[in-house]
Amino acid sequence: MYLKLNSFFVYGLMFFCMSLIFLFFGVLAYAYMYTYFLEWILMSINSYRIGIVFLFDYYSLFFMGVVCLISGSICLYSSSYMMNESRKFYFLLVIIVFVLSMLMVICSPNLISIILGWDGLGLSSYLLVIYYQNNKSYNAGMLTILTNRLGDVMILISIGWMFSYSSMNYFIYLYYYMANYDYNNFMLMMIILAGMTKSAQIPFSAWLPAAMAAPTPVSSLVHSSTLVTAGVYLLIRFSGIFEVWFSEFLLFISGCTMLMSGVGAFLEYDFKKIIALSTLSQLGLMMGALSLGLVNYCFFHLLSHALFKALLFMCAGYMIHCMGGSQDIRMYGGMFHNFPLIMISFNVSNLSLCGFPFLTGFYSKDLILELLMMKEMNVLSMFFFFFSTLFTVMYSLRLMMFLLGSENNFFSYNFVAFDKLMAASIHLLLIGSIFGGSILMWLLFPFVHPVIIPLSMKLILSMNLLLGMFLSILFFFMKSFNLGMMSYFLSLMWNLPKISTDMLIFPSMFVMKFYLKYVDQGLIEYLIGKKMGDFLMNMSHSMSMELTGKNFKVYLFFFIYLYLMVMMLMIM
């Protein structure tokens, strides 16, 4: 057991070292604009070579560095958080499988190796969600893996289309597109749908809050900063060839996702679900920036969001751990008196999520919103972005007021003492949440990008922040605030969980259920399964007896049946 506990620490240090190496080479790759292709030939059969290709540019190196940094912090955090778990070593192994799968998705330009890492992400995510092995986790795990399986099917269809381009590397497809040769919009649509499923865009959003049934370190690593951004990263690779209607479609979907998650988080009382819905809102912002052609800024926000959102989940997990597992924020209060250092980290990450000036989230989020105002956009798209930003401020400040209340609402004491190792891993990411945005901006944008907008539009962002703070305080102290059935509809993510889980919503699902019950498990099971089984049992029994007239009829019937089946197969 001692070795298993130390293994968290060893792998955490290993991930930290890998993070430093990747970030160092990422800076060099960006400074000199280098792109490296490494091909490893596994076998050669005549003129056909089977190998693995790795792509290392500043996109992949920076992203792998951030993933390893967060993974190392999670390993240190889990060494104390999972101390009393009986299957902690199994938990560590699945985390390692997840990280390796994520690295394969990031550094591979080949769709076949991408689907291997993509499937590894889905499998490891499922195993981590069902870790506690209760009905809630089983249901959440099934919803998670089935939704992500849709994205796997889309990539498999894209692999089939890629056979016509003589290579599985997507750079070949980009070359065909740029050179105005034969290209396929259907394949690009499959890639967009795959990215939407992994990044939980509407109508595939129900699995992300449901996946909060996993342990909190899993939520911090998998469902906030790495797994859910794999879809965004895949679309970044294909973003240079988006058609106009692809961009408009993705812009509308991302706007609806931002609005739905922002309103749902404001009406939610579950601690982890609020943070999960905030992740969904930021994913919508990334997709919206990507649809408008702001690829580098989308990648910038992807990295900065990973830093402060992982810290936000780790602080939430620490408080849940110390409060006996309670996740209802109405039972919290006076947390600053109990956890002053943890609450400082939590407030910094929460303000960074709001886009508070000069924190990590400010540099990417404010820049994206200002660049959006320079684009030719309609009123509906502007409404989506700024109204969603307003709700981000509202639910973030509402969460802070519940936690920083003057008195404890339920618990009078902490169940778990202060843990130094968990606090150290939290404070390590605190540095990234404060200085990470400015450092990444200096590295990714060494030259000043001019933002030319009127002063009134420049002040909209500040007014949006102040208005969100005012409305949050107003609704917090308004005890009679109630929207009735509308509140129920908005808090349930526009009934997306019901649509994702209830088979009777669509007629096609009802037909499938009818076929499964009365045909596949009914008539066919009775005729082929039971009757044929009885016939074979009688035939095998008769083979042990002497050949009589009655048995001869049995054999004759069997060979006629076998002959007809073979003829039908030949005709088909």
Side-chain angles (χ1 to χ4, degrees):
M1 183 179 296
Y2 180 76
L3 292 177
K4 290 180 181 179
L5 283 176
N6 270 346
S7 58
F8 282 95
F9 189 78
V10 171
Y11 280 104
L13 291 180
M14 182 186 71
F15 285 136
F16 282 133
C17 295
M18 292 172 61
S19 174
L20 294 176
I21 294 172
F22 287 139
L23 290 175
F24 174 74
F25 283 104
V27 173
L28 294 181
Y30 186 81
Y32 297 101
M33 287 298 166
Y34 287 160
T35 300
Y36 292 97
F37 279 92
L38 300 180
E39 186 174 6
W40 179 22
I41 303 299
L42 298 177
M43 63 178 68
S44 179
I45 303 174
N46 294 331
S47 62
Y48 187 75
R49 296 185 302 174
I50 300 176
I52 300 176
V53 183
F54 298 100
L55 168 66
F56 296 104
D57 59 352
Y58 72 93
Y59 278 129
S60 58
L61 289 170
F62 272 120
F63 196 17
M64 287 192 292
V66 172
V67 168
C68 291
L69 174 64
I70 296 173
S71 302
S73 301
I74 294 301
C75 286
L76 295 181
Y77 183 85
S78 301
S79 62
S80 293
Y81 191 92
M82 309 295 291
M83 182 179 296
N84 297 323
E85 298 290 336
S86 59
R87 298 183 300 127
K88 61 180 86 62
F89 193 61
Y90 158 80
F91 175 82
L92 177 61
L93 290 178
V94 180
I95 287 290
I96 294 172
V97 170
F98 170 81
V99 176
L100 294 179
S101 301
M102 190 69 197
L103 296 181
M104 180 177 290
V105 171
I106 294 172
C107 67
S108 176
N110 190 299
L111 283 182
I112 293 181
S113 53
I114 284 177
I115 191 60
L116 293 177
W118 200 271
D119 268 339
L121 291 176
L123 176 61
S124 56
S125 175
Y126 172 73
L127 294 176
L128 291 170
V129 169
I130 66 170
Y131 178 81
Y132 287 124
Q133 298 187 3
N134 50 41
N135 289 333
K136 181 181 178 181
S137 61
Y138 286 148
N139 295 334
M142 188 58 64
L143 178 60
T144 299
I145 195 170
L146 290 180
T147 306
N148 284 276
R149 200 62 185 165
L150 295 175
D152 300 345
V153 172
M154 303 303 171
I155 295 184
L156 289 173
I157 296 174
S158 302
I159 290 175
W161 282 102
M162 282 292 289
F163 273 105
S164 61
Y165 298 102
S166 71
S167 176
M168 288 294 105
N169 293 339
Y170 54 71
F171 280 99
I172 300 297
Y173 178 78
L174 302 183
Y175 169 75
Y176 270 78
Y177 189 94
M178 294 299 181
N180 294 321
Y181 296 150
D182 181 32
Y183 59 90
N184 198 303
N185 282 333
F186 178 77
M187 181 188 133
L188 186 58
M189 191 64 197
M190 294 298 102
I191 294 294
I192 291 177
L193 291 176
M196 287 171 57
T197 57
K198 191 67 75 172
S199 295
Q201 300 297 296
I202 286 179
F204 312 110
S205 304
W207 73 266
L208 184 57
M212 294 302 107
T216 303
V218 175
S219 303
S220 181
L221 173 65
V222 176
H223 304 122
S224 65
S225 53
T226 54
L227 169 71
V228 292
T229 55
V232 178
Y233 180 79
L234 182 66
L235 294 186
I236 285 175
R237 290 299 191 182
F238 283 88
S239 60
I241 56 176
F242 278 0
E243 294 284 348
V244 175
W245 72 274
F246 285 152
S247 299
E248 293 176 352
F249 167 75
L250 197 59
L251 179 62
F252 177 74
I253 292 296
S254 61
C256 292
T257 305
M258 283 191 293
L259 183 62
M260 177 268 297
S261 56
V263 177
F266 182 71
L267 299 173
E268 184 62 59
Y269 289 99
D270 190 296
F271 202 169
K272 291 175 67 174
K273 282 189 177 181
I274 292 175
I275 307 178
L277 290 171
S278 70
T279 301
L280 196 56
S281 176
Q282 299 306 305
L283 290 172
L285 179 62
M286 295 178 204
M287 287 290 192
L290 193 60
S291 63
L292 293 172
L294 305 175
V295 181
N296 289 330
Y297 302 98
C298 172
F299 181 70
F300 178 31
H301 189 59
L302 185 149
L303 298 181
S304 61
H305 169 263
L307 293 174
F308 65 77
K309 187 52 67 67
L311 174 63
L312 191 64
F313 254 116
M314 290 169 69
C315 294
Y318 187 93
M319 286 183 276
I320 293 172
H321 190 60
C322 293
M323 299 299 285
S326 173
Q327 295 181 197
D328 194 334
I329 60 175
R330 291 170 293 187
M331 296 182 180
Y332 286 64
M335 303 301 292
F336 189 81
H337 301 291
N338 301 325
F339 319 109
L341 295 178
I342 301 300
M343 283 306 300
I344 290 175
S345 302
F346 178 83
N347 290 333
V348 168
S349 58
N350 212 4
L351 291 174
S352 182
L353 172 64
C354 297
F356 195 79
F358 309 116
L359 294 177
T360 294
F362 165 78
Y363 289 94
S364 58
K365 193 172 182 179
D366 187 79
L367 184 60
I368 288 175
L369 292 176
E370 289 183 354
L371 291 173
L372 289 177
M373 289 188 285
M374 294 177 59
K375 296 285 185 179
E376 295 181 359
M377 296 177 61
N378 52 32
V379 177
L380 181 62
S381 300
M382 295 291 289
F383 168 79
F384 278 147
F385 279 98
F386 285 96
F387 206 66
S388 303
T389 305
L390 176 67
F391 269 100
T392 301
V393 179
M394 291 173 64
Y395 66 70
S396 298
L397 191 61
R398 170 178 175 266
L399 181 60
M400 291 173 59
M401 287 189 292
F402 269 106
L403 298 181
L404 295 176
S406 58
E407 298 178 356
N408 291 324
N409 294 327
F410 185 76
F411 296 105
S412 59
Y413 61 91
N414 301 333
F415 287 91
V416 181
F418 182 77
D419 190 282
K420 294 183 179 179
L421 193 57
M422 292 173 65
S425 60
I426 288 174
H427 296 152
L428 182 65
L429 285 181
L430 176 62
I431 300 174
S433 296
I434 297 176
F435 303 106
S438 57
I439 294 174
L440 287 173
M441 191 168 186
W442 295 334
L443 293 176
L444 296 176
F445 307 104
F447 303 102
V448 178
H449 187 94
V451 179
I452 304 174
I453 55 176
L455 179 62
S456 58
M457 300 183 71
K458 179 71 175 179
L459 293 177
I460 288 178
L461 300 176
S462 301
M463 296 301 296
N464 206 25
L465 182 64
L466 295 176
L467 179 61
M469 296 173 63
F470 172 75
L471 292 177
S472 178
I473 296 173
L474 178 64
F475 288 134
F476 181 77
F477 290 105
M478 189 186 300
K479 303 298 182 182
S480 60
F481 175 70
N482 187 12
L483 295 177
M485 292 301 296
M486 182 61 69
S487 177
Y488 181 78
F489 170 77
L490 295 175
S491 62
L492 284 183
M493 302 173 59
W494 299 357
N495 288 331
L496 285 179
K498 186 175 181 61
I499 294 175
S500 302
T501 55
D502 195 344
M503 294 185 63
L504 299 179
I505 291 297
F506 297 109
S508 60
M509 293 295 182
F510 178 76
V511 172
M512 292 171 60
K513 183 179 180 181
F514 178 84
Y515 175 82
L516 178 66
K517 182 177 180 180
Y518 295 104
V519 180
D520 191 22
Q521 296 178 354
L523 186 62
I524 297 178
E525 182 72 21
Y526 177 76
L527 292 179
I528 298 180
K530 187 176 184 303
K531 292 297 183 181
M532 193 64 186
D534 293 341
F535 169 74
L536 293 176
M537 289 294 293
N538 294 332
M539 188 191 68
S540 62
H541 178 70
S542 63
M543 289 181 65
S544 62
M545 303 170 59
E546 60 181 356
L547 186 61
T548 62
K550 183 178 180 179
N551 291 330
F552 180 78
K553 294 180 180 179
V554 172
Y555 288 130
L556 181 62
F557 177 79
F558 172 73
F559 284 115
I560 293 174
Y561 176 82
L562 184 62
Y563 175 78
L564 292 176
M565 292 297 295
V566 172
M567 292 300 296
M568 289 178 62
L569 290 176
M570 292 177 65
I571 293 173
M572 294 174 64

